[in-house]
Amino acid sequence: MLVEKKLSELEIGHYIVDIIEQAKNYKITHACYVETPRTVATLHNKGVVSVMIDTSKTRYPTAIDDDEPEVQNPDSAGEKSQAGFIKRMTRATEIFKESKRLQKKIFHDAQSGRELDLAPVMEATNKVIDEIFQNSDALASVINIRKKDQYLLEHSVSVSVLIAIFAKFLKLERNIIHQLAIGAFLHDVGKIMVPDAILNKPGKLTDNEFTIMKTHVNHSIHVIERTPNISKLSLEVAALHHEKINGTGYPYKVRGQNISKYGRMIAICDIFDALTANRVYKDGFAHIKAFNILRRMAQEEDLDAELVDSFIKCMGVYPVGTLVELNSNQLAIVESSNPKDPICPKVRPFFSMQQHDYKPSKAMDLSEEDDFIIKGVRPDDFELDMDQVMEFLMRQG
């Protein structure tokens, strides 16, 4: 489990994954154990305030290591060919694009005052769920390919994908997952009623502007209520996506246990996607930073703390589809997570930092390689476009 610890809380044997809060700009080159008090002292001298540790890798001084060695199965589900990866990515990309096209039509219909046709939404979300049940990694990768000028369309689709992945992780019934995905798909339809000047304002909204912005939830509720055959659960999650545990959310200021588990789930997915997505006027946060913000919001009782921890565990330290810098001077895309060793996922290198050019390569399981992740990066850090990255990877198939 990933847990934030102040330096004063660190103990010998803790496994440090990343720096969370600091006064300077120090970077750890790779995950490491707290071997001696000197490790903590060094971090303190560098201005580090808190770090993230992986409690599953803690070394207990009195523990006896009597575990039997695991037998590796070369035919395990995690060992998939490059062609298989490319095929899944191609299929997931098309599903995402189809969903965006449908989302555009939904916004247009809502703006025109027409009733929404639920049938294509049910079909689109069913395709998403089918793909997630077969391989959630592919769609998780695709939602990281964002166009800065299409945030409104992509956000609703991405939140629908995220809540479906999260719900599957929580082992919810498929019928429930489908209703959650539909509600998330429609949750922001009311934003089409908000003036563009407010909706796309790059700076902080004034109090009056924020009051107008908040009305998008009421508009969404009104549109969804008028949609034939919509389920109560789909309407519920759309209506609750901006409510907070402490009662300071909107539009109804629902508090505590009055917010259903599903309402708490979509709030986390909605905020996570908003934090990590690139927009025309700002770049999204790295995933570790977004996780830290979610944890702080849970401490302030904006979000459900237990569900936040589950969501972070579901997504992984390095979520599938994100880019990482390797010690071997390569950039790689995270292809699949490793539940037993979260900081050592399976990655696919694609870019040489020395040559500053794309480079074909095979997938690597970092738990079996000498190479390791230095840090998570964003495409903009290296003047890369994620569409071009994915096109390059697909050509390799």
Side-chain angles (χ1 to χ4, degrees), residues 316-360:
V317 180
Y318 298 107
V320 171
T322 55
L323 303 188
V324 293
E325 179 182 338
L326 302 179
N327 187 56
S328 57
N329 286 322
Q330 300 181 92
L331 298 183
I333 187 169
V334 177
E335 183 175 320
S336 62
S337 57
N338 183 350
K340 293 184 178 180
D341 193 352
I343 66 165
C344 293
K346 187 175 181 180
V347 302
R348 188 174 298 275
F350 65 89
F351 191 84
S352 168
M353 295 172 63
Q354 289 181 325
Q355 300 173 2
H356 200 75
D357 198 7
Y358 290 93
K359 176 183 176 182

Side-chain angles (χ1 to χ4, degrees), residues 244-246 267 271-272 275 290-305 308:
K244 297 179 180 179
I245 305 298
N246 56 24
I271 292 171
F272 176 76
L275 289 172
F291 291 155
N292 186 37
I293 293 173
L294 290 179
R295 284 186 180 277
R296 289 183 181 176
M297 293 183 72
Q299 291 172 356
E300 295 168 0
E301 296 188 339
D302 288 337
L303 301 174
D304 184 300
V308 165

Side-chain angles (χ1 to χ4, degrees), residues 155-178:
H155 174 66
S156 293
V157 177
S158 296
V159 173
S160 183
V161 171
L162 285 171
I163 200 168
I165 292 173
F166 190 21
K168 178 177 179 289
F169 176 81
L170 295 177
K171 296 181 169 52
L172 300 184
E173 295 179 4
R174 179 174 174 127
N175 178 51
I176 298 296
I177 297 174
H178 193 202

Side-chain angles (χ1 to χ4, degrees), residues 99-301:
S99 296
K100 280 172 57 179
R101 288 192 287 268
L102 175 58
Q103 191 69 239
K104 186 174 183 179
K105 182 180 184 303
I106 286 171
F107 278 114
H108 180 71
D109 288 347
Q111 190 174 38
S112 303
R114 289 192 290 269
E115 276 187 355
L116 303 188
D117 183 357
L118 192 61
V121 177
M122 294 180 68
E123 182 180 354
T125 48
N126 249 328
K127 286 184 180 180
V128 165
I129 295 169
D130 284 342
E131 188 65 25
I132 287 170
F133 270 76
Q134 292 179 36
N135 189 323
S136 62
D137 291 351
L139 268 171
S141 296
V142 170
I143 63 175
N144 286 291
I145 307 170
R146 311 300 291 269
K147 294 183 180 296
K148 290 187 175 184
D149 60 346
Q150 295 185 13
Y151 172 76
L152 183 59
L153 295 178
E154 293 182 335
H155 174 66
S156 293
V157 177
S158 296
V159 173
S160 183
V161 171
L162 285 171
I163 200 168
I165 292 173
F166 190 21
K168 178 177 179 289
F169 176 81
L170 295 177
K171 296 181 169 52
L172 300 184
E173 295 179 4
R174 179 174 174 127
N175 178 51
I176 298 296
I177 297 174
H178 193 202
Q179 293 179 68
L180 295 178
I182 291 171
F185 200 90
L186 300 175
H187 81 284
D188 261 353
V189 66
K191 280 188 174 177
I192 201 66
M193 315 297 184
V194 177
D196 286 343
I198 295 176
L199 191 62
N200 299 312
K201 183 178 178 179
K204 184 178 179 180
L205 298 178
T206 65
D207 290 344
N208 287 337
E209 288 170 337
F210 187 54
T211 297
I212 296 172
M213 174 64 84
K214 290 192 293 186
T215 64
H216 82 271
V217 182
N218 304 81
H219 292 309
S220 292
I221 293 170
H222 178 66
V223 170
I224 297 171
E225 282 179 332
R226 293 172 51 241
T227 302
N229 302 316
I230 195 74
S231 74
K232 291 182 179 180
L233 179 52
S234 295
L235 174 60
E236 174 188 310
V237 293
L240 294 174
H241 75 275
H242 275 303
E243 299 292 353
K244 297 179 180 179
I245 305 298
N246 56 24
T248 63
Y250 61 90
Y252 302 124
K253 298 189 180 299
V254 185
R255 178 184 294 272
Q257 295 301 317
N258 291 323
I259 305 175
S260 69
K261 178 180 181 178
Y262 309 126
R264 298 170 188 223
M265 288 170 62
I266 193 172
I268 294 168
C269 297
D270 179 65
I271 292 171
F272 176 76
D273 188 71
L275 289 172
T276 55
N278 284 332
R279 309 189 203 185
V280 173
Y281 51 85
K282 81 173 190 71
D283 290 334
F285 291 121
H287 287 79
I288 289 289
K289 175 67 173 178
F291 291 155
N292 186 37
I293 293 173
L294 290 179
R295 284 186 180 277
R296 289 183 181 176
M297 293 183 72
Q299 291 172 356
E300 295 168 0
E301 296 188 339

